[in-house]
Amino acid sequence: MRKTIVAGNWKMSGNHIEGAGLAGNIAKGLEGKSPGCEIVLIPPFTAIPDVVRTVQGSIVKIGGQDLFYEEEGAFTGEVSGAMLTALGCTYVLVGHSERRHVIGETGDILRLKLGAALRAGLNPIFCVGEVLDEREAGKAADVVSGQVRDVLGGLSGSDLAKVVVAYEPVWAIGTGKTATPEDASEMHVVIRSALADLFGPEAGEETVILYGGSVKPENAGALLEVPDIDGALVGGASLKAGSFLDIIFSVR
Ligand code: PEP
């Protein structure tokens, strides 16, 4: 039985005071409720300590938006997996499309980052997704299964079990355009079959795969009821406690 996760990626939004305020409002909205999913907040690095303190005692888990692949040393500006676990993080994003397309991270880098996350005891949320040109050229399935094979291919089965995959079509991120539940479902099946080819049928069946790309309260219900979609990675709509809570409570 796969778990359902709703994760909020705050990107580079808000300082630590605003982050604590948002986390506090989300935690308050969850008080006395039993959501049908695990909830992960992914604040900017600078807000993590305050957010961790704010949600202490609640069911909310915390993730980092990125990590470096070395454990320590002369790497100015970078943050290691161990630094994130020391703050209380249990998840970390690897390969978000903004890291791939704005910062220029390649499959080689992402493979190293994924390994570093696992060594630090973090659960990587590994993001894959095609750009619009690739979708329009009918290449979405090949691109996304290629990303899965390239970065996850060398893992052991036990490491794969710690990885969450997020399918995030790049053309749907922050654009207001969402994949239809049918399109998203088709791509989740593509990812499951790539995983089954690499690791066997159980891995294809058991890996948690989230959908991300302009998920909002208005479309969350239809996306989250697709059997192969195990939750949502939410950007913009996670920056308001009310809309993030509405998405959480649309999990049935
Ligand atoms: C994201 O940042 O992972 C994301 C899906 O953003 P948005 O929900 O704003 O499209």
Side-chain angles (χ1 to χ4, degrees):
M1 197 31 197
R2 300 188 298 262
K3 64 179 166 188
T4 306
I5 300 174
V6 173
N9 171 21
W10 296 356
K11 313 193 191 203
M12 198 175 71
S13 305
N15 61 30
H16 61 293
I17 298 163
E18 292 159 331
L22 174 56
N25 289 335
I26 292 167
K28 207 175 292 162
L30 292 168
E31 265 169 23
K33 307 256 169 55
S34 310
C37 59
E38 197 171 294
I39 296 149
V40 186
L41 300 183
I42 311 180
F45 290 140
T46 52
I48 291 175
D50 291 86
V51 170
V52 168
R53 265 192 296 278
T54 305
V55 302
Q56 216 155 33
S58 81
I59 54 170
V60 174
K61 301 194 173 182
I62 308 298
Q65 295 180 12
D66 183 38
L67 81 169
F68 194 52
Y69 50 75
E70 295 288 353
E71 273 150 41
E72 137 174 302
F75 304 105
T76 302
E78 297 294 347
V79 169
S80 73
M83 290 170 181
L84 294 176
T85 49
L87 288 178
C89 292
T90 51
Y91 284 93
V92 66
L93 294 178
V94 174
H96 188 278
S97 72
E98 287 144 21
R99 303 289 319 171
R100 290 178 190 261
H101 297 288
V102 181
I103 315 290
E105 291 186 357
T106 60
D108 288 347
I109 291 174
L110 299 181
R111 217 174 301 122
L112 293 172
K113 289 192 167 191
L114 201 98
L118 291 165
R119 280 195 304 281
L122 291 161
N123 294 105
I125 302 177
F126 173 59
C127 305
V128 294
E130 79 286 358
V131 299
L132 188 60
D133 285 354
E134 292 164 337
R135 169 148 291 262
E136 287 176 348
K139 292 183 183 155
D142 284 350
V143 167
V144 166
S145 62
Q147 291 168 341
V148 169
R149 286 168 200 280
D150 183 32
V151 176
L152 301 185
L155 292 182
S156 65
S158 61
D159 274 346
L160 180 75
K162 298 170 194 147
V163 175
V164 171
V165 176
Y167 168 60
E168 298 207 302
V170 181
W171 49 268
I173 298 182
T175 58
K177 291 185 192 140
T178 320
T180 63
E182 294 72 27
D183 286 341
S185 174
E186 205 177 298
M187 294 303 291
H188 283 229
V189 170
V190 164
I191 295 167
R192 290 198 190 287
S193 50
L195 292 169
D197 280 354
L198 290 166
F199 300 98
E202 270 182 28
E205 227 3 83
E206 288 170 11
T207 302
V208 173
I209 308 181
L210 313 182
Y211 169 78
S214 297
V215 175
K216 321 179 249 277
E218 304 79 58
N219 58 25
L223 287 160
L224 293 171
E225 74 185 17
V226 173
D228 278 303
I229 298 182
D230 304 318
L233 179 53
V234 186
S238 70
L239 294 173
K240 291 220 164 71
S243 56
F244 191 56
L245 288 163
D246 284 348
I247 293 170
I248 289 168
F249 293 122
S250 57
V251 174
R252 308 254 163 253

